[in-house]
Amino acid sequence: MLNRRHFSLLLAAGCLAATLPAAQAQDAFPVRPVKLVVPYAAGGGTDAIARLVANGVGEKLGQAMVVENNGTSGGNVASQRVASADPDGYTVLMANQGPMVVNPHLFKSLKLDPLTAFDPVTLIARTPLVVVVSKNSKFKSFEDIIAFGKANPGALTYGSAGNGSASHLATALLLSQAGISAVHVPYKGAGPALNDMLGGRGDFMVTTLPSVLGLVDSGEMVPLAVTTKERVAKLPNVPAVAERGYPDYESAAWYGFAVPKGTPQPVIDKLRNATLEALATPVIKERLSAEGTTIVGDTPQEFAAMMKSESTRWSKFLGEAGISID
């Protein structure tokens, strides 16, 4: 009996010792920089918001949040990399439409299911998109683009931030409702796509407002319509697509944080709390507002529900439109 009692005590002590390091690690998190993986190239709207918020979150966590860009395969490489990372909170995905709710229905070869491979942290913000052309474009209005597309099927070309990106899907939805076709040229982010447009390559682009606002303010790019139901305060003289004969049209981009499945709840809570604190700081609030972006900061459960709804929406659209890759 004595030996059994000693054995039980030793076993209990061993179990306690095994759980202490994990619990202590969660309590101490973070003790080193946190990596934020952005599934697009530098220079676009997602990247700009990621870097702004990462700076604020890093300050609140007491450790730097370092941005890493990877726009390969429409963001699939980035999302797969984060999904397979250790679930310890040190690798975070800048989650948005493409990798989270569109690509699983767009890329036939994609095996990853983001809705089950990640734990949501919080939805950071939403932002409208805007139809733009270069200052030297022959198109002077939104109606000019539609009229040309109807008269010249397949002659229009448009760039996007990548296959499955918000800019790609917003454009595909617009073309579908307008009943016209155009050639899609995907890039690894909005930045490279806009650079090509400035060089005269591509007829138009539907892109997030933060990614193009500087070029609009400088006069290099001309906004012709916004994708929200109503006009946006930042561009009060630019009509909504819904005003131009497409009342059912609406599309917006969104950004959030997600971590590998199995990340401890205390770590998720610390990341979310630091994010909400950062979003509440005047510098970030003012910067995002100036770019036409609406801050959200919801719960993981609300973020998960929104993504599930978005996944259903885009799955239906892509299936009906017959849009797929590989």
Side-chain angles (χ1 to χ4, degrees):
M1 292 296 294
L2 184 61
N3 288 337
R4 288 183 180 178
R5 187 177 295 113
H6 284 168
F7 177 76
S8 297
L9 290 172
L10 288 172
L11 181 61
C15 291
L16 178 61
T19 59
L20 279 176
Q24 291 171 346
Q26 294 173 28
D27 291 340
F29 175 86
V31 296
R32 64 178 190 272
V34 175
K35 182 184 298 182
L36 177 60
V37 180
V38 177
Y40 300 105
T46 304
D47 177 67
I49 291 177
R51 292 179 184 277
L52 174 66
V53 176
N55 285 336
V57 173
E59 290 180 3
K60 300 303 179 182
L61 287 175
Q63 290 285 346
M65 180 173 261
V66 182
V67 173
E68 178 182 290
N69 299 86
N70 191 330
T72 305
S73 187
N76 289 336
V77 172
S79 60
Q80 288 173 330
R81 178 178 178 184
V82 176
S84 61
D86 291 336
D88 54 11
Y90 288 99
T91 306
V92 180
L93 179 68
M94 186 66 171
N96 66 0
Q97 284 98 323
M100 300 303 290
V101 303
V102 174
N103 290 359
H105 312 296
L106 183 65
F107 291 84
K108 294 180 179 179
S109 61
L110 184 62
K111 305 301 181 185
L112 180 73
D113 180 1
L115 297 186
T116 59
F118 295 96
D119 283 326
V121 178
T122 188
L123 176 63
I124 294 170
R126 292 189 180 91
T127 190
L129 292 92
V130 57
V131 182
V132 295
V133 295
S134 69
K135 65 179 182 180
N136 297 318
S137 174
K138 62 186 176 184
F139 302 120
K140 305 304 178 185
S141 69
F142 172 76
E143 287 80 6
D144 285 349
I145 296 176
I146 302 301
F148 182 86
K150 289 182 179 295
N152 303 275
L156 283 170
T157 61
Y158 71 95
S160 80
N163 287 314
S165 65
S167 58
H168 176 203
L169 270 294
T171 312
L173 183 62
L174 174 60
L175 296 174
S176 175
Q177 292 195 12
I180 60 177
S181 60
V183 177
H184 176 215
V185 182
Y187 290 79
K188 292 184 178 181
L194 289 166
N195 284 337
D196 263 12
M197 282 198 67
L198 290 173
R201 295 176 289 277
D203 290 317
F204 74 101
M205 185 174 174
V206 183
T207 187
T208 58
L209 186 52
S211 70
V212 76
L213 193 55
L215 294 172
V216 169
D217 288 343
S218 69
E220 294 298 310
M221 302 294 286
V222 180
L224 301 181
V226 293
T227 64
T228 44
K229 282 285 188 180
E230 300 176 349
R231 300 189 183 198
V232 299
K234 191 63 182 176
L235 300 173
N237 297 321
V238 178
V241 171
E243 293 179 46
R244 293 300 190 250
Y246 305 95
D248 295 329
Y249 181 84
E250 183 177 21
S251 189
W254 48 263
Y255 316 93
F257 283 164
V259 290
K261 191 71 176 180
T263 299
Q265 191 60 47
V267 172
I268 293 175
D269 292 342
K270 283 191 176 183
L271 285 170
R272 179 173 180 267
N273 290 338
T275 303
L276 297 187
E277 290 175 9
L279 293 174
T281 58
V283 63
I284 293 182
K285 287 176 65 176
E286 292 169 8
R287 173 79 176 275
L288 291 179
S289 176
E291 294 179 346
T293 298
T294 301
I295 293 174
V296 181
D298 61 4
T299 66
Q301 293 77 19
E302 290 169 332
F303 190 17
M306 186 278 286
M307 286 191 288
K308 184 176 181 180
S309 175
E310 281 279 279
S311 179
T312 300
R313 175 196 182 196
W314 289 115
S315 173
K316 182 175 184 293
F317 169 70
L318 292 170
E320 292 176 347
I323 301 174
S324 64
I325 295 175
D326 67 15

